[in-house]
Amino acid sequence: MSLALTSSATARRPSFDRLLMFWGPVIVLAVLVFRNDARMAYAQSANGAAVEAADLAENAGTGTRERQLLFLALGATGGMLLWRDQRTNRRPIYWPIMLLLGLLFAYGCCSVVWSDSPFLTFKRMIVLGCLALGAIGIGKVWSTRDFCLALIGWTLLFVLISVAAELANGVFLRGGDYRFSGVFHPNKQVFFCAFLFLCSSCMYQSERKRIYLAIAIFALLAVILTKSRTGTAACLLAGAWLWWSYLPRNWIVNLAVAGSILFSIGLIGLGASGEEVSLLSAARMGREDELSDPTKLTGRLPIWTETLSAFINQPLLGFGYGAFWSPERIRYFESQNGWAFSHAHSIYIESAVNWGLLGVFIMLMIVVATVRRAKYLLRTHERMAGRWMIALLILAAIAGLAESAFVADGFEAIVLCASIGLVACHGPVPPARGMR
């Protein structure tokens, strides 16, 4: 009788661990993203980018009680994952990445001393700590396959809900200025679709199941429909590297030839029709609003000018993490430019004003260490993690020219931190140079 009970308890334990270690973080993060970023107003307009934003100055430095609780839940989930994993499974850790992450967080905490708004920096460091703890916990505990399946599940759910919301409101694929947004801003939706495309591609390359290839094609079409130029270009280049590193060279040559032939046929067809097509109109991607003019960088030039002119005054240490976008500074920039913005629309400029040149140098060291680790994993059984990490860094580096998503407290930053934890805590650790 006791043997039967013991075997029954043992059989139930894996399912309980799965519920606690996998489905718990999946649910917490899905709820966090929807409550933090989703708005039905985006799905009620054919161009979600035209929806008026909330009062940014009033909301700066404040957060709803629900948002605070969700970030605390994410941090607690990450702490629980790390504690439980430490008791049951001691994975080798690539310490250079972890030590640099710890150094960056300690530097951010120290920025309270010289911050323009110490209390604002203190609050945002708590949010950053919860985000990093949750993300690193996920990256360390989950396998690469679990991480990719969860990311596909999250992003596919977001995209399908967005399509359903637009269909319900009768705006899906409607109008010449249509941009796919669903319940998120198009410039955020493009990253969900890009994650879905890149992660499905990685899963297809690893398991050769056609369902992943079909999801990747669907996601790529959704990326293009967002008409987010920077995000689309970044996704295409990251995808090009991902498939270049996977396909045999003769396949790449054949695809390049076929693409050139199709492009030539398209140009001949346009010439025969007598229609004029300019590079400027092609760069607009079908967008007709005034800010879509690519020569004006979609209104980002005034943001960069104002932000960099302020950064020159405190270049070494910056203004303290999260303290630059205070309510007073947001209102001032709005009075100068006629519209409000609460981030620099560039991860490079945003990082500079938040962390200063010293903090940016630490971040650069983290990127270098992560790339080295990912390149090493490409030669091991964890090659899928290496491919995914490099593709994600390409996406973030290119999209970061005109977007701040990967250094904000959102889903994109969580995915990036979790991916860094994934490559730092999976696969063999290379021996020291003197022991080879």
Side-chain angles (χ1 to χ4, degrees), residues 107 311 314-318 351-353 355-362:
Y107 173 79
F311 168 70
Q314 292 183 231
L316 184 61
L317 299 177
S351 300
V353 296
W355 300 93
L357 294 178
L358 183 57
V360 169
F361 176 76
I362 299 174

Side-chain angles (χ1 to χ4, degrees), residues 86-426:
Q86 184 68 18
R87 293 186 60 191
T88 59
N89 184 18
R90 294 178 178 270
R91 289 189 176 91
I93 297 176
Y94 186 65
W95 283 107
I97 294 177
M98 289 300 184
L99 292 176
L100 286 169
L101 288 173
L103 177 62
L104 182 65
F105 184 77
Y107 173 79
C109 292
C110 292
S111 71
V112 174
V113 177
W114 61 80
S115 171
D116 272 16
S117 177
F119 183 65
L120 190 58
T121 297
F122 175 74
K123 289 174 63 177
R124 289 184 171 169
M125 283 305 300
I126 293 176
V127 173
L128 179 63
C130 292
L131 184 153
L133 186 61
I136 296 299
I138 289 172
K140 184 178 187 302
V141 174
W142 288 1
S143 67
T144 304
R145 187 175 187 275
D146 279 348
F147 177 78
C148 288
L149 288 176
L151 187 55
I152 290 172
W154 279 321
T155 52
L156 186 59
L157 176 65
F158 300 156
V159 173
L160 292 178
I161 289 176
S162 296
V163 172
E166 289 196 353
L167 287 172
N169 287 281
V171 299
F172 185 64
L173 298 178
R174 181 178 139 190
D177 202 24
Y178 170 80
R179 295 183 66 183
F180 174 55
S181 57
V183 294
F184 301 99
H185 191 283
N187 291 343
K188 179 170 281 289
Q189 185 70 259
V190 71
F191 291 122
F192 295 158
C193 300
F195 291 158
L196 183 58
F197 167 66
L198 296 175
C199 208
S200 299
S201 298
C202 286
M203 286 297 294
Y204 173 77
Q205 294 172 6
S206 176
E207 300 188 2
R208 302 299 298 271
K209 293 182 180 179
R210 293 181 181 177
I211 182 65
Y212 295 124
L213 186 59
I215 293 174
I217 294 171
F218 165 74
L220 186 59
L221 293 175
V223 166
I224 296 171
L225 285 176
T226 63
K227 296 182 180 178
S228 176
R229 290 186 295 263
T230 308
T232 301
C235 178
L236 291 176
L237 290 173
W241 178 88
L242 193 62
W243 285 98
W244 176 276
S245 64
Y246 170 75
L247 291 175
R249 294 295 175 261
N250 59 329
W251 274 69
I252 295 173
V253 172
N254 293 336
L255 289 173
V257 171
S260 301
I261 293 173
L262 291 175
F263 183 71
S264 301
I265 292 174
L267 289 179
I268 293 171
L270 287 173
S273 65
E275 295 184 9
E276 295 184 3
V277 179
S278 65
L279 291 176
L280 183 61
S281 61
R284 284 179 178 269
M285 292 184 68
R287 293 163 56 180
E288 300 299 331
D289 54 288
E290 181 182 357
L291 289 177
S292 66
D293 186 350
T295 62
K296 299 178 181 178
L297 290 171
T298 320
R300 285 166 171 78
L301 282 178
I303 303 176
W304 296 344
T305 301
E306 296 283 356
T307 308
L308 288 174
S309 62
F311 168 70
I312 293 173
N313 298 321
Q314 292 183 231
L316 184 61
L317 299 177
F319 293 84
Y321 179 73
F324 182 79
W325 299 105
S326 62
E328 296 77 19
R329 191 171 277 119
I330 292 174
R331 290 195 180 95
Y332 171 74
F333 286 165
E334 183 177 10
S335 67
Q336 296 296 308
N337 297 280
W339 59 290
F341 45 89
S342 60
H343 53 85
H345 278 286
S346 167
I347 62 173
Y348 306 104
I349 300 176
E350 184 75 14
S351 300
V353 296
N354 276 321
W355 300 93
L357 294 178
L358 183 57
V360 169
F361 176 76
I362 299 174
M363 297 171 75
L364 181 60
M365 292 300 98
I366 293 173
V367 172
V368 171
T370 303
V371 170
R372 291 185 54 147
R373 176 64 174 167
K375 289 174 65 177
Y376 174 75
L377 291 182
L378 290 176
R379 303 191 299 270
T380 70
H381 63 280
E382 288 285 353
R383 63 179 63 88
M384 183 168 69
R387 281 200 192 108
W388 159 253
M389 188 72 253
I390 294 177
L392 180 62
L393 288 175
I394 292 172
L395 176 72
I398 298 173
L401 294 172
E403 295 294 342
S404 303
F406 287 92
V407 291
D409 53 357
F411 184 66
E412 299 87 351
I414 295 173
V415 170
L416 181 60
C417 288
S419 300
I420 292 174
L422 189 74
V423 299
C425 302
H426 288 77

Side-chain angles (χ1 to χ4, degrees), residues 58-86:
E58 182 179 348
N59 295 332
T62 62
T64 64
R65 183 63 58 85
E66 182 183 22
R67 182 177 184 272
Q68 295 168 355
L69 290 175
L70 285 170
F71 271 104
L72 288 174
L74 178 63
T77 301
M80 179 272 297
L81 290 175
L82 293 174
W83 172 77
R84 195 171 179 86
D85 184 67
Q86 184 68 18

